Amino acid sequence: LSSSLEGDLTDGDSTIKAFTVSHLYDDTLQRIEITKAPNKISYFEGENFEKDGMEVTAYYNSKNNAEVVLGNTEYSITNGTNLSKNQKSVTITYRDKSVNQDITVQENSIIDLKITQEPTKKEYKEGQNFEKEGMIVEATYKNGTRKIINDYTIEDGDNLTSNQTEVTIYYDGKTVKQSITVISNPLIGIEVTKAPNKINYVVGQNFDKAGMIVTGTYKDGDKKEITGYTIEDGINLRKEQTFVTIKYEEQTTTQEINVVEKSIIQISVGKLPLKIKYIQNKEELDLTGGVIRVTYNDGTNENISMTSEEVSVSGFNNENIGSISIELTYQSKTTQFEVEIVEEEKAVNSNLSNVESNVKKVQAYFFTDESKENYILVNVEVDKVLRNMDNDSVEYYYYLSSNSNEQNINDWTKITEKQNDSDKLQFTIDSRNITNYNEAVSEDVIYLYIKEVAIKGGNQSVAVSKSMRLETEQSIETYIDNTKKENLQSNNQNTNNSDKDNTMVEDGKLPQTGVKSTVLILAIIITCVGVIIYIRYKVLSKYTK
């Protein structure tokens, strides 16, 4: 350090920082550039890119060889062959680097069309067609190339006229003329040399020339097929008409035809009736929905309803089972279709001969409000039912009785629960729905009857089960004002004597009331292990305090 600084740094700390600049050269390729454009950058479609004069330079991260001009074979060119119209560039690629060279490509359209060699034949007779044999047509394009054209078209080359001096050659929007000479050779007659495919017609149809060949004869004896003829009297043919007239220029000929009145060729069943199956000895023929298809000799068709007054029907007989043929007649033409006579479907009841009842639950509902109706619910399962599941529909009813041999039961109660099992019925008996409830529970034993009403195919069958004694080992659930009560009998016995109201509780029986108004008995009698339990309530205020 200089002496001038020494004094300033005495007894002090100091730091000296040194800065260096360095560059790491690894000779990697950084990019490529087109440093000189090619001689040609304008092209026509279909040409190939030309790289003559183009200079491509590669730039490296190198101290000694940072820029290297590439040889013509070192890089590749993409999209450079068969250039397309409006293409904007080609791609130059060297190793993993690419650069684009801009170009312009325009459509290489035809600018001129000429006949470089005339056809072999240039003189024709009137009515002949131009012949192109020997003729060479050449097209010149924008890029100066020339090409012989073979798929050109010839205008005005058919049926040459006597005053015609040239025909026109056309290709891709360009035309050229070929001069010719046409000698007058007038047409002296025409004839039908091949009859049309169709010569038989129905009144009102139009003549059809398909398949017909008309030949013209010229003055020099030549014959040629004529195509531009017209047909007179060929529209809406008449019954008495026997020919049509063919005309070309001033010449005419005729073609014989046959014209007949419109008539029916045949009838057939176009659509079967909605009903084709009938019950033996029961149902009558119904042709609703059936259609007859009428085919006429002019090829047209018409649909006629089988129920039309113009259609007569025979052959229906429903006495014997099996298929029978129904014959339909319309304007002397007939057709048939079959219907099937089947045995009437009959409803078959389930087997109720071995049924057994099983009470699953008993619920008694009582109300302190005398305006509300007390009632009993009994959940019942009837087992050992052999149900017939083939009926269209089935309904079940029950009846309660104190008689084990009821006959002619009328007051059945319908079972509303849906029955899905094939071997049992499950439902709830509701005392509110039973018209003979008071009568039934006045006895010691209640019997249950089941009625089945089966329906199939309009047929109904009814079966009634044997009587079934209602028995259960289930305890009775008691509800007072919809609240379940437990140990009702015990609570009654423990009630203070001062609170008693003539209510009597018998051994083995639920309490029974009866002092304030007319006795309303709502009860169910169920034999349970030999003990008959009576449920009869009127006023239950003592048990709801």
Side-chain angles (χ1 to χ4, degrees):
L1 297 173
S2 65
S3 60
S4 62
L5 295 176
E6 289 180 358
D8 295 336
L9 299 176
T10 303
D11 298 327
D13 295 327
S14 63
T15 300
I16 298 175
K17 293 184 179 181
F19 295 90
T20 63
V21 177
S22 64
H23 185 85
L24 179 62
Y25 296 100
D26 57 5
D27 293 327
T28 58
L29 177 64
Q30 302 295 303
R31 70 184 189 281
I32 63 172
E33 293 182 4
I34 298 174
T35 51
K36 186 177 181 181
N39 297 336
K40 182 178 180 179
I41 59 173
S42 296
Y43 295 89
F44 289 100
E45 60 179 327
E47 290 186 314
N48 296 332
F49 176 77
E50 299 177 10
K51 62 184 177 181
D52 296 344
M54 183 172 67
E55 181 181 275
V56 181
T57 301
Y59 292 88
Y60 294 89
N61 181 22
S62 174
K63 183 175 181 180
N64 299 318
N65 297 298
E67 300 178 9
V68 177
V69 176
L70 301 176
N72 288 343
T73 60
E74 291 186 81
Y75 55 82
S76 62
I77 301 172
T78 305
N79 301 327
T81 59
N82 193 23
L83 299 174
S84 59
K85 179 182 176 181
N86 298 325
Q87 186 174 337
K88 303 298 184 182
S89 64
V90 294
T91 301
I92 312 302
T93 301
Y94 175 63
R95 294 186 184 176
D96 61 341
K97 307 298 181 184
S98 297
V99 65
N100 290 333
Q101 170 60 49
D102 293 337
I103 60 173
T104 59
V105 183
Q106 60 179 311
E107 182 181 6
N108 190 23
S109 58
I110 295 175
I111 59 174
D112 186 38
L113 192 68
K114 66 179 180 179
I115 298 172
T116 59
Q117 181 174 308
E118 292 188 333
T120 303
K121 181 178 181 180
K122 295 190 294 181
E123 291 187 358
Y124 297 88
K125 295 177 183 180
E126 182 181 6
Q128 289 184 322
N129 296 332
F130 176 78
E131 299 175 9
K132 66 179 182 179
E133 283 75 12
M135 183 172 66
I136 297 177
V137 179
E138 184 181 79
T140 302
Y141 292 84
K142 279 185 178 181
N143 65 355
T145 59
R146 292 182 175 86
K147 180 181 177 182
I148 294 176
I149 304 301
N150 294 313
D151 54 344
Y152 53 81
T153 59
I154 301 172
E155 299 178 353
D156 306 324
D158 292 336
N159 195 23
L160 300 172
T161 60
S162 59
N163 58 349
Q164 191 171 347
T165 60
E166 62 185 13
V167 293
T168 302
I169 313 302
Y170 174 87
Y171 181 77
D172 199 16
K174 299 296 181 181
T175 60
V176 63
K177 305 290 185 180
Q178 171 60 49
S179 60
I180 58 173
T181 300
V182 181
I183 302 171
S184 177
N185 184 29
L187 180 69
I188 60 175
I190 62 172
E191 62 179 327
V192 177
T193 53
K194 182 181 178 183
N197 299 335
K198 181 177 181 180
I199 60 173
N200 295 313
Y201 294 88
V202 175
V203 172
Q205 288 185 318
N206 298 331
F207 177 78
D208 185 357
K209 67 179 181 180
M212 183 173 68
I213 296 178
V214 179
T215 301
T217 301
Y218 293 84
K219 184 178 180 179
D220 64 354
D222 284 346
K223 294 182 180 293
K224 178 186 174 182
E225 182 180 351
I226 302 298
T227 57
Y229 56 82
T230 59
I231 299 171
E232 299 179 350
D233 302 323
I235 304 298
N236 195 21
L237 299 174
R238 305 178 305 278
K239 179 180 178 181
E240 67 275 8
Q241 193 169 344
T242 59
F243 65 87
V244 292
T245 300
I246 293 97
K247 183 175 182 181
Y248 182 73
E249 294 182 356
E250 299 301 322
Q251 306 298 321
T252 62
T253 188
T254 60
Q255 170 60 48
E256 293 183 353
I257 58 173
N258 300 314
V259 183
V260 298
E261 290 282 3
K262 182 176 180 178
S263 61
I264 298 175
I265 296 177
Q266 65 174 10
I267 66 171
S268 58
V269 175
K271 186 177 181 181
L272 287 171
L274 298 177
K275 184 176 181 62
I276 58 172
K277 185 179 290 187
Y278 295 86
I279 297 175
Q280 182 186 22
N281 295 321
K282 188 171 183 179
E283 295 179 306
E284 296 300 323
L285 182 66
D286 183 0
L287 298 178
T288 301
V291 173
I292 296 174
R293 185 173 179 82
V294 183
T295 302
Y296 293 93
N297 56 353
D298 62 355
T300 61
N301 296 284
E302 181 182 12
N303 289 330
I304 302 294
S305 173
M306 289 184 184
T307 59
S308 170
E309 294 181 355
E310 299 180 82
V311 178
S312 60
V313 185
S314 63
F316 182 77
N317 186 330
N318 63 0
E319 294 180 358
N320 298 316
I321 294 175
S323 296
I324 60 172
S325 181
I326 305 301
E327 183 173 273
L328 306 173
T329 303
Y330 177 72
Q331 295 189 14
S332 76
K333 301 294 182 179
T334 61
T335 188
Q336 296 84 29
F337 71 94
E338 289 189 346
V339 298
E340 186 179 1
I341 307 301
V342 297
E343 185 177 4
E344 182 177 10
E345 292 181 317
K346 294 182 179 180
V348 178
N349 286 110
S350 305
N351 187 343
L352 304 178
S353 60
N354 298 315
V355 291
E356 295 179 358
S357 66
N358 183 12
V359 176
K360 310 297 289 185
K361 181 189 291 187
V362 180
Q363 296 170 303
Y365 290 82
F366 305 105
F367 300 93
T368 57
D369 184 350
E370 292 189 5
S371 64
K372 295 183 179 180
E373 181 182 3
N374 303 329
Y375 63 93
I376 306 296
L377 298 180
V378 182
N379 292 342
V380 177
E381 181 175 284
V382 177
D383 297 318
K384 296 185 179 180
V385 180
L386 298 178
R387 292 188 64 199
N388 178 18
M389 309 296 283
D390 292 331
N391 294 305
D392 294 339
S393 65
V394 63
E395 293 180 347
Y396 290 97
Y397 300 81
Y398 70 86
Y399 181 78
L400 297 181
S401 174
S402 59
N403 187 349
S404 63
N405 189 27
E406 282 280 7
Q407 302 293 325
N408 301 320
I409 301 172
N410 294 318
D411 296 330
W412 291 97
T413 301
K414 186 174 182 179
I415 297 174
T416 58
E417 291 89 343
K418 186 176 181 180
Q419 305 299 321
N420 297 317
D421 296 314
S422 63
D423 59 349
K424 61 186 174 182
L425 303 176
Q426 294 175 311
F427 60 96
T428 299
I429 295 175
D430 188 334
S431 64
R432 293 169 294 181
N433 298 330
I434 304 173
T435 59
N436 68 328
Y437 180 73
N438 289 337
E439 176 186 346
V441 299
S442 63
E443 301 296 330
D444 291 345
V445 179
I446 295 178
Y447 294 94
L448 171 67
Y449 294 84
I450 297 294
K451 179 175 77 169
E452 179 188 74
V453 179
I455 298 175
K456 186 172 185 178
N459 178 264
Q460 177 176 293
S461 181
V462 177
V464 177
S465 72
K466 66 179 183 180
S467 62
M468 293 171 280
R469 185 168 178 168
L470 285 180
E471 296 180 335
T472 185
E473 296 181 359
Q474 302 294 323
S475 60
I476 300 174
E477 297 179 4
T478 305
Y479 295 80
I480 300 177
D481 291 333
N482 290 322
T483 300
K484 187 175 181 180
K485 298 298 179 179
E486 303 291 344
N487 301 322
L488 184 61
Q489 180 174 332
S490 174
N491 289 341
N492 180 70
Q493 293 172 343
N494 294 330
T495 301
N496 191 298
N497 291 335
S498 62
D499 294 332
K500 290 184 180 179
D501 66 343
N502 297 331
T503 300
M504 176 182 65
V505 180
E506 299 181 30
D507 292 339
K509 300 180 182 179
L510 290 180
Q512 159 179 302
T513 66
V515 297
K516 291 189 177 180
S517 63
T518 304
V519 175
L520 172 63
I521 299 176
L522 282 172
I524 183 168
I525 302 173
I526 299 178
T527 302
C528 178
V529 195
V531 179
I532 299 176
I533 302 175
Y534 293 83
I535 303 172
R536 294 174 182 171
Y537 276 95
K538 178 184 176 187
V539 180
L540 302 174
S541 57
K542 293 292 183 179
Y543 302 101
T544 58
K545 289 183 178 181

